[in-house]
């Protein structure tokens, strides 16, 4: 115990021990501070976790806005991009003529003159459209467009492409033929193209033909060339063409091509039974004997219907053929519908405007004979559409060399009275002397005229 007490006695100063205890206590954190610190850390972690998505979203939005502003400034400062986006096209394709309407499926699409269409490249920067060229060839494609296109004068390439009409499901390609070709020197001819389907299945019931530049590697970055379009048109089934009237009709057309005469109808059958099969046959008989032709058609053809049919027939193109009717003392030059273009009696040319009624009646009789023997007449070349020489005074024989080669023979005598116009020849004595019993049917039956006035509209005289 003494030793133990000795140890206790050797201990340092009690005050010093208390100071050490206080110092160690001061450096050690309190329980409350620890709890407070833990709570604060947890709070900050929770706040950070809550704010992170919001901060990310705000940062992303600001970055995107900055990129868009930068991108817009870059495009607006680029001269090449600004030209392509804002400046309108000054070059465009156009068709040089309108289409020949109406169009049937399977028939060739042509211009109003019956010839192939042409496409031109024009410059529209001035007041009008001026043909122009490019230093390089361009590829052009023909397409079919909706008839309602365009809604405005200027359209984009995308708007044009969206209005291209394709074939119906299960059908052949809508447009066939030479659809792709190369344009050089600002002009190109469209080859043979045809439509295979009618236009009744689209809303507007009409198509257009369009021509566009094909985008290739050589011309993708060049100036835009606006596409060409035609007028809107209907396409009918080819079966309708079998019964189509012709405007104007041709001389060789079947007679039912005329207005008011239906194919295999009652008028067509009546005409066929009497040998009137073509438009030329119809017009020849109308010239020689109109009442006979009217009686042939019957009472079913009213006066109004007759005028429509006859007017349509008179618009036909007569071509350049003339027909020569010869006799022992006369020579007649007739046009394809049996009108007199030139009359030569006893070697003398008689101007039509100077013929008397009796002289015309005699020539009328000769024309009837020529009509009855039409297949035996000699064909000669001539210009039917030119003014008839007989209306311009008395021409020389040099103007008709074929007539000169056939000398006329005088087989009649002066002062002879014509007793039968159908059997006797004409007598010449200043004016022609005929039997007063001879009837001038030209004035009595009011038929179509026998004498061509040579006018361009080739109307039959009355």
């Amino acid at each position: 115990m003494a030793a133990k007490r000795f140890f206790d006695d050797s201990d340092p100063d009690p005050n010093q021990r208390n100071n050490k205890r206080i110092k160690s206590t001061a450096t050690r954190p309190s329980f409350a501070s620890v709890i407070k610190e833990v709570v604060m850390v947890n709070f900050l972690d929770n706040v950070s976790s809550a704010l992170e998505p919001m901060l990310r979203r705000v940062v992303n939005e600001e970055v995107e806005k900055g990129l868009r502003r930068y991108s817009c400034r870059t495009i607006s400062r680029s001269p090449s991009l600004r030209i392509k986006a804002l400046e309108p096209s000054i070059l465009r394709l156009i068709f040089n003529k309108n289409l020949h309407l109406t169009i049937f499926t399977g028939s060739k699409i042509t211009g109003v003159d019956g010839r192939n269409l042409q496409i031109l490249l024009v410059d529209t920067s001035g007041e009008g459209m001026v043909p122009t060229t490019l230093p390089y060839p361009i590829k052009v494609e023909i397409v079919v467009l909706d008839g309602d296109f365009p809604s405005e004068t200027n359209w984009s390439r995308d708007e044009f492409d969206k209005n291209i009409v394709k074939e119906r499901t299960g059908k052949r390609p809508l447009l066939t033929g030479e659809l792709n070709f190369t344009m050089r020197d600002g002009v190109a001819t469209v080859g043979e193209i045809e439509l295979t389907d009618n236009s009744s299945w689209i809303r507007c019931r009409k198509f257009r033909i369009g021509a566009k530049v094909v985008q290739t590697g050589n011309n993708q970055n060049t100036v835009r060339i606006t596409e060409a379009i035609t007028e809107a048109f209907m396409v009918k089934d080819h079966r309708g063409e079998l019964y189509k009237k012709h405007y104007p009709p041709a001389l060789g057309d079947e007679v039912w091509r005329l207005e008011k005469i239906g194919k295999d109808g009652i008028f067509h059958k009546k005409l066929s039974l009497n040998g009137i099969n073509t438009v030329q046959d119809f017009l020849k008989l109308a010239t020689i004997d109109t009442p006979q032709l009217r009686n042939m058609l019957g009472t079913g053809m009213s006066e109004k219907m007759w005028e429509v049919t006859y007017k349509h027939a008179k618009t036909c193109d007569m071509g350049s053929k003339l027909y020569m009717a010869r006799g022992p003392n006369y020579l007649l030059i007739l046009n394809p519908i049996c009108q007199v273009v030139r009359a030569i009696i006893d070697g003398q040319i008689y101007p039509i405007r100077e013929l008397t009624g009796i002289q015309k009646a005699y020539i009328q009789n000769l024309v009837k004979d020529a009509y009855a023997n039409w297949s035996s007449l000699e064909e000669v070349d001539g210009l039917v559409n030119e003014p008839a020489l007989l209306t311009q005074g008395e021409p020389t024989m040099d103007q008709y060399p074929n007539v000169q080669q056939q000398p006329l023979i005088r087989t009649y005598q002066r002062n002879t009275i014509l007793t039968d116009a159908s059997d006797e020849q004409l007598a010449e004595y200043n004016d022609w002397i005929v039997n007063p019993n001879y009837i001038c049917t030209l004035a009595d039956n009011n038929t179509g005229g026998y004498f061509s006035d040579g006018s361009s509209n080739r109307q039959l005289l009355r």
Side-chain angles (χ1 to χ4, degrees), residues 294-308:
R294 295 293 306 275
N295 292 336
M296 193 180 296
L297 293 168
T299 57
M301 176 163 284
S302 64
E303 185 67 27
K304 186 175 181 179
M305 293 173 64
W306 165 257
E307 290 178 358
V308 172

mmCIF file of all heavy atoms in Angstrom, residues 294-308:
data_model
loop_
_atom_site.group_PDB
_atom_site.id
_atom_site.type_symbol
_atom_site.label_atom_id
_atom_site.label_comp_id
_atom_site.label_asym_id
_atom_site.label_seq_id
_atom_site.Cartn_x
_atom_site.Cartn_y
_atom_site.Cartn_z
ATOM 1 N N ARG A 294 -81.103 15.177 -151.366
ATOM 2 C CA ARG A 294 -82.048 15.391 -150.273
ATOM 3 C C ARG A 294 -83.122 14.308 -150.256
ATOM 4 O O ARG A 294 -83.511 13.811 -149.191
ATOM 5 C CB ARG A 294 -82.702 16.771 -150.401
ATOM 6 C CG ARG A 294 -81.766 17.957 -150.236
ATOM 7 C CD ARG A 294 -81.223 18.052 -148.820
ATOM 8 N NE ARG A 294 -82.276 18.067 -147.820
ATOM 9 C CZ ARG A 294 -82.929 19.147 -147.418
ATOM 10 N NH1 ARG A 294 -82.605 20.326 -147.942
ATOM 11 N NH2 ARG A 294 -83.863 19.060 -146.494
ATOM 12 N N ASN A 295 -83.628 13.956 -151.422
ATOM 13 C CA ASN A 295 -84.631 12.887 -151.492
ATOM 14 C C ASN A 295 -84.055 11.553 -151.033
ATOM 15 O O ASN A 295 -84.747 10.731 -150.430
ATOM 16 C CB ASN A 295 -85.163 12.767 -152.916
ATOM 17 C CG ASN A 295 -85.996 13.971 -153.323
ATOM 18 O OD1 ASN A 295 -86.551 14.664 -152.471
ATOM 19 N ND2 ASN A 295 -86.063 14.236 -154.623
ATOM 20 N N MET A 296 -82.778 11.362 -151.327
ATOM 21 C CA MET A 296 -82.104 10.130 -150.935
ATOM 22 C C MET A 296 -82.064 9.997 -149.403
ATOM 23 O O MET A 296 -82.243 8.908 -148.854
ATOM 24 C CB MET A 296 -80.682 10.143 -151.522
ATOM 25 C CG MET A 296 -79.943 8.839 -151.471
ATOM 26 S SD MET A 296 -78.288 9.061 -152.195
ATOM 27 C CE MET A 296 -78.709 9.474 -153.887
ATOM 28 N N LEU A 297 -81.832 11.132 -148.732
ATOM 29 C CA LEU A 297 -81.761 11.124 -147.274
ATOM 30 C C LEU A 297 -83.137 11.003 -146.633
ATOM 31 O O LEU A 297 -83.257 10.523 -145.504
ATOM 32 C CB LEU A 297 -81.061 12.389 -146.782
ATOM 33 C CG LEU A 297 -79.571 12.508 -147.132
ATOM 34 C CD1 LEU A 297 -79.058 13.909 -146.853
ATOM 35 C CD2 LEU A 297 -78.761 11.480 -146.357
ATOM 36 N N GLY A 298 -84.169 11.437 -147.327
ATOM 37 C CA GLY A 298 -85.526 11.303 -146.819
ATOM 38 C C GLY A 298 -85.940 12.453 -145.924
ATOM 39 O O GLY A 298 -85.170 13.364 -145.606
ATOM 40 N N THR A 299 -87.181 12.397 -145.490
ATOM 41 C CA THR A 299 -87.753 13.474 -144.675
ATOM 42 C C THR A 299 -87.182 13.488 -143.258
ATOM 43 O O THR A 299 -87.391 14.453 -142.525
ATOM 44 C CB THR A 299 -89.274 13.318 -144.611
ATOM 45 O OG1 THR A 299 -89.595 12.017 -144.085
ATOM 46 C CG2 THR A 299 -89.893 13.460 -145.995
ATOM 47 N N GLY A 300 -86.496 12.441 -142.862
ATOM 48 C CA GLY A 300 -85.914 12.409 -141.516
ATOM 49 C C GLY A 300 -84.829 13.438 -141.313
ATOM 50 O O GLY A 300 -84.544 13.835 -140.178
ATOM 51 N N MET A 301 -84.215 13.901 -142.413
ATOM 52 C CA MET A 301 -83.209 14.960 -142.300
ATOM 53 C C MET A 301 -83.882 16.293 -142.539
ATOM 54 O O MET A 301 -84.259 16.636 -143.660
ATOM 55 C CB MET A 301 -82.054 14.743 -143.279
ATOM 56 C CG MET A 301 -81.044 15.890 -143.255
ATOM 57 S SD MET A 301 -79.444 15.515 -143.986
ATOM 58 C CE MET A 301 -78.672 14.508 -142.737
ATOM 59 N N SER A 302 -84.052 17.051 -141.488
ATOM 60 C CA SER A 302 -84.711 18.354 -141.579
ATOM 61 C C SER A 302 -83.808 19.362 -142.282
ATOM 62 O O SER A 302 -82.621 19.106 -142.527
ATOM 63 C CB SER A 302 -85.058 18.857 -140.180
ATOM 64 O OG SER A 302 -83.868 19.076 -139.428
ATOM 65 N N GLU A 303 -84.385 20.523 -142.576
ATOM 66 C CA GLU A 303 -83.622 21.572 -143.237
ATOM 67 C C GLU A 303 -82.446 22.027 -142.368
ATOM 68 O O GLU A 303 -81.343 22.272 -142.870
ATOM 69 C CB GLU A 303 -84.538 22.762 -143.538
ATOM 70 C CG GLU A 303 -83.882 23.875 -144.333
ATOM 71 C CD GLU A 303 -83.524 23.455 -145.753
ATOM 72 O OE1 GLU A 303 -84.198 22.556 -146.297
ATOM 73 O OE2 GLU A 303 -82.574 24.026 -146.323
ATOM 74 N N LYS A 304 -82.686 22.122 -141.072
ATOM 75 C CA LYS A 304 -81.619 22.536 -140.164
ATOM 76 C C LYS A 304 -80.510 21.503 -140.110
ATOM 77 O O LYS A 304 -79.314 21.844 -140.124
ATOM 78 C CB LYS A 304 -82.205 22.764 -138.771
ATOM 79 C CG LYS A 304 -81.213 23.346 -137.780
ATOM 80 C CD LYS A 304 -81.875 23.658 -136.451
ATOM 81 C CE LYS A 304 -80.877 24.269 -135.479
ATOM 82 N NZ LYS A 304 -81.517 24.599 -134.165
ATOM 83 N N MET A 305 -80.872 20.225 -140.069
ATOM 84 C CA MET A 305 -79.859 19.164 -140.052
ATOM 85 C C MET A 305 -79.068 19.174 -141.352
ATOM 86 O O MET A 305 -77.841 18.984 -141.349
ATOM 87 C CB MET A 305 -80.524 17.811 -139.833
ATOM 88 C CG MET A 305 -81.152 17.636 -138.463
ATOM 89 S SD MET A 305 -82.105 16.101 -138.327
ATOM 90 C CE MET A 305 -80.818 14.872 -138.541
ATOM 91 N N TRP A 306 -79.749 19.377 -142.473
ATOM 92 C CA TRP A 306 -79.075 19.420 -143.767
ATOM 93 C C TRP A 306 -78.043 20.545 -143.814
ATOM 94 O O TRP A 306 -76.935 20.360 -144.298
ATOM 95 C CB TRP A 306 -80.090 19.586 -144.890
ATOM 96 C CG TRP A 306 -79.457 19.996 -146.189
ATOM 97 C CD1 TRP A 306 -79.455 21.231 -146.751
ATOM 98 C CD2 TRP A 306 -78.692 19.170 -147.082
ATOM 99 N NE1 TRP A 306 -78.756 21.232 -147.931
ATOM 100 C CE2 TRP A 306 -78.273 19.986 -148.151
ATOM 101 C CE3 TRP A 306 -78.330 17.826 -147.058
ATOM 102 C CZ2 TRP A 306 -77.509 19.485 -149.196
ATOM 103 C CZ3 TRP A 306 -77.557 17.332 -148.109
ATOM 104 C CH2 TRP A 306 -77.163 18.155 -149.164
ATOM 105 N N GLU A 307 -78.396 21.705 -143.297
ATOM 106 C CA GLU A 307 -77.472 22.832 -143.319
ATOM 107 C C GLU A 307 -76.214 22.516 -142.497
ATOM 108 O O GLU A 307 -75.103 22.870 -142.889
ATOM 109 C CB GLU A 307 -78.168 24.078 -142.767
ATOM 110 C CG GLU A 307 -79.257 24.635 -143.693
ATOM 111 C CD GLU A 307 -79.961 25.827 -143.090
ATOM 112 O OE1 GLU A 307 -79.622 26.194 -141.935
ATOM 113 O OE2 GLU A 307 -80.848 26.394 -143.760
ATOM 114 N N VAL A 308 -76.397 21.846 -141.359
ATOM 115 C CA VAL A 308 -75.248 21.485 -140.529
ATOM 116 C C VAL A 308 -74.348 20.490 -141.261
ATOM 117 O O VAL A 308 -73.119 20.640 -141.294
ATOM 118 C CB VAL A 308 -75.722 20.902 -139.187
ATOM 119 C CG1 VAL A 308 -74.542 20.340 -138.393
ATOM 120 C CG2 VAL A 308 -76.450 21.958 -138.365
#
